[in-house]
Amino acid sequence: MDIRERMKNGKLYFCTDESVAREQLQCLDKLYDFNQTRPSEMEKRQKLLKELLAEVGENCYVEPPLHANWAKNTHFGSNVYANFNLTLVDDTDIYVGDSVMFGPNVTLATAGHPIDPGLRRKVAQFNLPVRIGNNVWIGAGAVVLPGVTIGDDSVIGAGSIVTKDIPAGVVAVGNPCRVLRPINDRDREYYFRELKIDLR
């Protein structure tokens, strides 16, 4: 199994392959171009985003700066919104569903390193995919760790560290992130604390 297969399959590998480093550098050059676009260059920004990511659905918006290890291993559905400083540690695949919102300074990390100091000294790494369902909101400063899946319609509170899978239809918060409660009828009546939904 070569290094690229090991990177995709969750196997331990050593980050020493120069051809991988050169390939990553090309991705980072494209990312630099994306981050240097002016606010008035929306068409150019969208074109670059589609060149950067593996997939980009309709009506996606990413506010620069965007940070990524590769970018080309990230798959966006439609109607994805990412605020400033989305960080994609996408050494393997990140899958983001439709109608997902990222607050500022969110990190999605597929890469990890062994606890054993000898292996870390040799720059050992492993990668596990991250999967974000449809209609998920991830609050500012949250971190999603390797191998995590977040179910449809869930909300991840600001500053949460998501170390394990989160089911669909819940509010989850904290470090480590835990399910606080299901999304319920009160959430359909109040949008924030005691503020009632009134769209008239």
Side-chain angles (χ1 to χ4, degrees), residues 20-36 52 66-72 88 90:
V20 171
R22 283 192 301 273
E23 186 181 340
Q24 186 177 25
L25 190 59
Q26 291 172 346
C27 294
L28 295 176
D29 276 347
K30 280 186 193 174
L31 182 60
Y32 179 88
D33 292 342
F34 174 84
N35 285 330
Q36 299 309 308
L52 273 169
L66 169 66
H67 308 283
N69 283 25
W70 294 86
K72 73 175 192 169
L88 306 168
D90 65 336

Side-chain angles (χ1 to χ4, degrees), residues 140-159:
V143 177
V144 180
L145 294 180
V148 166
T149 295
I150 298 173
D152 294 349
D153 301 320
S154 285
V155 174
I156 305 299

